[in-house]
Amino acid sequence: MGEMRALAVRVERHLLRWRTRRGHETAVRYLDELATALAPQGWRFKKFYRREEFAVPIPLLWVHARATKDVGIVVGVLATSGGTWAYHEARWGRRGYLCLCGDAEAAAVQVDRLLKHRLFPSTW
């Protein structure tokens, strides 16, 4: 029984990686929605979307402060179970889960909090 469970987990992970790589347009759409939701709060962005220009397997959005580029977060969109998608902090991969896609405002709140904490760590 344990072997079957391990096989199912491996298959699920493989399918999620495949969906993530095939869902380039979906990821770009969700990242653009996140950028739109964050823009009124004054954050700046650099989009790493074009495969031929940037050697990354998935589209990435770098969000940083207007005053400094030293503090920021790189966000990616990964496929998740059940046919859903989720925002993740790119450097942590799946362990960097931020929020399910579909609610860009909630994701913007999460990213805003993380960035403010990184900019002003002594105020938290």
Side-chain angles (χ1 to χ4, degrees), residues 43-121:
W43 300 109
R44 298 288 188 225
F45 315 99
K46 176 71 178 167
K47 297 176 181 182
F48 298 95
Y49 292 177
R50 292 191 300 267
R51 295 177 186 159
E52 59 277 350
E53 187 175 343
F54 304 106
V56 292
I58 62 171
L60 299 171
L61 178 69
W62 175 34
V63 185
H64 61 89
R66 181 180 307 171
T68 180
K69 292 183 180 179
D70 295 336
V71 177
I73 184 173
V74 179
V75 178
V77 171
L78 303 177
T80 52
S81 298
T84 59
W85 295 82
Y87 297 105
H88 289 77
E89 185 171 1
R91 73 176 176 163
W92 299 112
R94 293 202 178 275
R95 291 182 304 259
Y97 174 83
L98 296 169
C99 185
L100 278 176
C101 293
D103 187 355
E105 294 299 323
V109 168
Q110 183 74 9
V111 170
D112 182 65
R113 285 182 187 154
L114 279 170
L115 288 171
K116 285 179 179 174
H117 175 67
R118 291 177 185 175
L119 279 170
F120 311 107

Side-chain angles (χ1 to χ4, degrees), residues 1-10:
M1 192 63 136
E3 292 177 21
M4 291 299 289
R5 173 78 176 131
L7 177 62
V9 168
R10 284 196 306 273

